[in-house]
Amino acid sequence: IEVHAFEAVPETMKRLKSNLILNKVSVDQLNNVAISNIIGEQEFTYVPFLSGSSSFVNLINDKSATKIKVKTKTLDFYCDEMRVIPDFIKVDVEGSEHLVMEGFKKTLKQIKAKPIIFIEILRKWSEKYGVKANDIYQDILSIGFKGYILDKKSGLEICNEITEKTISTNFLFLPEEFKDLQILKIFIKQNIDY
């Protein structure tokens, strides 16, 4: 397994490196860069004491929030540059999921063996970007994926859209040609603690 990790904020990157050492975890490529829809540099809102609320927009209007410049890359560019095609992608980017996916669409449309995507999508954060969570969801479905939510009874439950009634914020997207759905459902049911 080859692991490529990304962290936009230099201060959070220092903590990530310390945690990796502390827990004796190795990462093949640790990148101090934000994944977005452009290659270059963007303004980023860093919230020091609530780093999980740091994003390209000011999500929580905390007075400790500061604007910093971060390097950005698209996943299309990164995959080409590193000559990698991921099997699994975890996306947790505090509302900028649409930017990540927009910058990965070319690769996803071109490759035959699409990766599994596990992504957090919160309506309240997406709205701060002027984007509807379901639009992000439908965009992913439209390029050859089926969407699921984790379910205690069945392991996975099909999910065709995000509505105001959707409780889950974590979604699993499997390529339409994914063959081991029943095995995956059993594994999730037996191994995931809700």
Side-chain angles (χ1 to χ4, degrees):
I1 296 176
E2 197 174 306
V3 177
H4 297 248
F6 304 89
E7 173 51 53
V9 179
E11 191 59 38
T12 308
M13 176 62 98
K14 289 178 192 172
R15 280 188 256 145
L16 174 57
K17 285 180 180 177
S18 295
N19 283 331
L20 290 170
I21 292 167
L22 178 69
N23 292 292
K24 297 179 176 110
V25 174
S26 67
V27 172
D28 297 279
Q29 290 290 324
L30 192 54
N31 301 277
N32 191 188
V33 64
I35 296 301
S36 186
N37 61 341
I38 63 167
I39 301 162
E41 205 174 64
Q42 283 182 268
E43 192 171 83
F44 196 85
T45 302
Y46 172 53
V47 187
F49 302 107
L50 298 165
S51 63
S53 297
S54 298
S55 192
F56 287 111
V57 299
N58 192 344
L59 297 173
I60 60 170
N61 298 318
D62 188 88
K63 57 185 164 189
S64 71
T66 57
K67 299 279 186 188
I68 63 172
K69 289 279 188 185
V70 297
K71 293 176 188 171
T72 60
K73 287 186 180 180
T74 67
L75 281 175
D76 285 334
F77 177 82
Y78 186 83
C79 289
D80 190 50
E81 173 187 49
M82 300 301 291
R83 298 183 192 278
V84 296
I85 298 295
D87 298 312
F88 180 87
I89 298 172
K90 167 69 168 101
V91 181
D92 186 349
V93 290
E94 312 311 326
S96 63
E97 298 81 15
H98 65 292
L99 301 178
V100 171
M101 296 311 297
E102 187 179 309
F104 192 37
K105 218 177 238 187
K106 182 179 133 204
T107 301
L108 288 175
K109 286 180 177 179
Q110 289 177 348
I111 58 176
K112 289 182 182 177
K114 292 180 179 13
I116 294 171
I117 301 172
F118 190 64
I119 187 169
E120 179 187 57
I121 304 173
L122 275 77
R123 290 186 301 271
K124 67 179 181 176
W125 288 162
S126 299
E127 288 168 6
K128 297 275 186 171
Y129 281 84
V131 177
K132 293 188 183 314
N134 192 53
D135 290 346
I136 300 166
Y137 200 88
Q138 296 305 315
D139 234 18
I140 299 170
L141 293 178
S142 75
I143 48 178
F145 290 89
K146 290 183 181 177
Y148 298 85
I149 56 174
L150 300 178
D151 180 68
K152 287 182 185 181
K153 291 179 185 170
S154 65
L156 285 175
E157 182 180 309
I158 192 85
C159 179
N160 294 315
E161 65 181 338
I162 297 176
T163 68
E164 291 304 315
K165 293 180 181 179
T166 305
I167 296 169
S168 184
T169 58
N170 290 297
F171 303 93
L172 185 68
F173 289 93
L174 300 175
E176 288 176 344
E177 65 277 359
F178 188 80
K179 303 272 188 253
D180 299 319
L181 185 59
Q182 293 311 314
I183 293 169
L184 183 59
K185 283 182 175 186
I186 292 166
F187 177 82
I188 290 171
K189 195 173 174 182
Q190 292 175 346
N191 294 288
I192 304 296
D193 184 24
Y194 297 87

